[in-house]
Amino acid sequence: MKKFNITVNGTSYEVEVEEVKAAGAAAPKAAPKAAPAPAAAPAAPAAPKKAAVAAGAGEHSIDAPMPGKVVKLVAAEGQAVKAGDVLLILEAMKMQNEITADTDGTVKSFNVAAGQSVKAHESLVILG
């Protein structure tokens, strides 16, 4: 057994490593010993997820083009919008993306809230 000191993200660990000499060598007698990993910091509480509303007759859904986090709802429920108007801001890969209306219509409902994480193709807004 050889002992090494390894530093990961500023935390030092003492590790014992057994050298394997041949492909047919016997299994190690004891498992490697390492100091326990530091406890992860508690994550910030996620915004409560709003129940998704399905698009009805004459309505359609604007879906997330990629996974990300909703930063801001720009439009309001009941607001009339034109094609190209910004509905919300979605942050993905450290970039803020404007999610826009694809047609003229009225915002029937938001299926997300500011601060909420979303998956790709998840319904964000229902336009009617």
Side-chain angles (χ1 to χ4, degrees), residues 57-119:
E59 300 175 344
H60 69 280
S61 175
I62 304 293
D63 299 337
M66 64 193 84
K69 182 178 179 181
V70 177
V71 177
K72 179 181 178 185
L73 302 178
V74 177
E77 289 186 10
Q79 178 180 341
V81 292
K82 295 193 181 289
D85 286 354
V86 178
L87 301 172
L88 59 91
I89 306 294
L90 179 69
E91 183 177 282
M93 298 182 291
K94 297 187 179 184
M95 293 184 63
Q96 293 194 356
N97 302 283
E98 295 180 339
I99 305 302
T100 60
D102 55 356
T103 60
D104 294 353
T106 302
V107 177
K108 295 296 182 182
S109 70
F110 280 99
N111 289 333
V112 294
Q116 180 179 330
S117 293
V118 296
K119 297 176 184 172

